[in-house]
Amino acid sequence: MAEPKENLQMEKIVSLCKRRGFIFQSSEIYGGINGFWDYGPLGAELKRNVKELWWNSMTREREDVAGLEATIIMSPAIWKASGHVDTFSDPMCDCKKCKKRFRADQLCEDQNLTLSRNPEGKFVLPVGTRCTGCGSVELTEPRPFNLMFKTYVGPVESEDNVAYLRPETAQAIFAQFKNVLETSRQKVPFGIGQIGKAFRNEVTPRNYTFRSREFEQMELEFFIKPDEAIEAIHGAVATMPATGHPGEPQPDWGWQAWHRYWVEERVRFYEGIGLSRETLGFHHQTPEELAHYARACTDILFKFPFSKKDDHGNVKGDELEGIAARSDFDLSQHQRFSGKPMGVFDDELRAAWGKLSPEKQADLWKRYYDNRKNYLTKSARPGETAEQIQKQATEDANGLAKGQYIPHVIEPSAGVDRLILALIANAYSETVKTDAKGKSETVFVMKFHPRVAPIKVGVLPLLKNKPELVNKALAVRDLLRPWMNVFYDDSGSIGKRYARQDEAGTPFCVTIDFDTLGENPELLDTVTLRHRDDGRQERLKISELRDWLFTRTR
Ligand code: ATP
């Protein structure tokens, strides 16, 4: 269960996380359970802050996003429609000698080999692939392993009662699309955001919490008009500069502008909580990597201590979040599988269509028809004929001309736990300090951005045995407590207490001393405030403390 010794930095981080109560192994007293992790007192606060910041920036602070909180177990039909029942699997293989089990793609990657498919679409191991446990080349051929956890609803364990723990939160958003649309008074373009648990029975959980079997996601589905509708309404789809943030959303944006917008918005979010651009990386999925329905997918990566170097010695990073342009695939699937309409009616489109030249109408009709036909062909169910598909695509294109379409979607999908691990790795710093007597010790400081820091302020009376100081410090604690997470500490020397807060990543500490009580009348009701990162101190009035801290830790 222990983290492999190959990465010293990770080992130190894992050890600090346990020692300071950020992350514990789940069920540790029983030897642990692989792929499951608990968050201790500091980790729970850190996680809560991250989720709240995401929720606020993605929903409350925007006019165009509404929230949702759906169940973990849903109708299994959802996972049939989404494709998870049939295709959500990883290739797994076993060593015939030592019986160790691997994810075939990871096994190849670890040996700089590439897993390929044979003409029938089956994965085949490249020659020379070895078991990383015993070195044997006798490995079974990769076979698909579905990652969904199965359970039964009700007392009878029969196939009819099978249900799944959701492997992502996104599908609930699609399934509830119509309800949210009707109750939130939103109009396309708009989004639905959700934070919640997801479960994947990963073949080989690894890299601490990075690949867990139970984790949390923060997902947004942002619904947009198809490009053909934008072109009908605005004459053309907006063009964009080659790089950078495209600015405030515009009515003539097509999927490319929206996709770029969300990638850049998400990078800004990470920068706003202390992950600078230099710590991040990007992976733009190649056409071979993209799902058949996806137009583009950009992964935002973080350079973790375990991230591998490329051939040029550069660290690319590992995925924190994927931002995918998924076309109208998801809602279309749910429309077909549930038989319930998932489309919207757009007045503006209907009015604009009537004013187009017949040539333009024919051009847009044909492009929309081709896209729908392509989708219907690729996701055809057994028995569906080309004729049926053409008929449906014709109906869909005729619908567009009347102002109807199934919204397309941009999906920024982030993992809470991976972000927590990134924040911890990014914050971790250690220095060796030598005192006047030549005694050295290693000092740990978790340099969290104040917005995510688990404790915002430490409140410390200078001395424990002076009731006046203690009472004043408790009053300061009580003053701040309704507004932020405060930690009161009166045990040990002030230096020790600062060090404890540095390890917890607390950005500020306030000390209540005799001047606070009026020993120097000019300093009555003021405190010393210490900054974590540079040890700088300043004197602040207690009456101003709450606002001062609040503006810096929100
Ligand atoms: P990976 O390729 O690393 O398995 P993925 O591409 O399958 O990830 P998505 O399905 O796009 O991941 O899920 C969206 C996000 O959910 C990921 O970017 C990641 O942050 C998080 N996530 C996915 N699987 C796990 C996991 N096993 N443990 C922790 N977080 C996860």
Side-chain angles (χ1 to χ4, degrees), residues 35 84 88 90 103 105-106 147 167-168 198-202 205-206 208-219 270 285 297 299-300 318-324 326 411-419:
H84 284 82
F88 191 58
D90 277 336
R103 227 177 91 174
D105 54 333
Q106 288 174 350
L147 299 182
E168 60 171 41
F199 303 80
R200 296 184 188 177
N201 198 2
E202 299 280 357
R206 59 181 186 174
Y208 201 21
T209 57
F210 181 84
R211 188 170 300 288
S212 306
R213 288 180 166 141
E214 173 174 342
F215 55 98
E216 269 184 288
Q217 291 184 313
M218 308 184 283
E219 296 197 291
Y270 291 123
Q285 287 191 10
C297 185
D299 293 336
I300 301 179
D318 287 279
E319 181 180 330
L320 270 188
E321 168 162 0
I323 297 124
R326 298 176 58 87
E411 176 190 82
S413 167
V416 182
D417 310 77
R418 287 190 186 175
L419 177 51

Side-chain angles (χ1 to χ4, degrees), residues 73 151-158 160-163:
I73 293 181
T151 186
Y152 300 94
V153 173
V156 183
E157 293 194 6
S158 71
D160 291 346
N161 296 330
V162 163

Side-chain angles (χ1 to χ4, degrees), residues 93-97 100 102 107 111 125-126 128-132 136-142:
C93 64
D94 298 304
C95 172
K96 290 182 189 165
K97 277 226 162 111
K100 215 172 162 194
F102 300 97
L107 186 67
Q111 299 171 49
L125 287 174
T129 312
R130 288 183 177 278
C131 166
T132 47
S136 164
V137 289
E138 282 185 50
L139 298 156
T140 61
E141 277 311 321

Side-chain angles (χ1 to χ4, degrees), residues 120-135:
E120 288 98 61
K122 283 203 172 134
F123 282 114
V124 277
L125 287 174
V127 176
T129 312
R130 288 183 177 278
C131 166
T132 47
C134 71

Side-chain angles (χ1 to χ4, degrees), residues 28-53:
E28 193 190 278
I29 59 167
Y30 290 101
I33 168 164
N34 204 4
F36 296 86
W37 301 94
D38 292 342
Y39 289 84
L42 291 178
E45 288 290 340
L46 180 61
K47 214 173 177 197
R48 197 166 272 267
N49 291 341
V50 163
K51 289 192 281 182
E52 193 173 299
L53 286 163

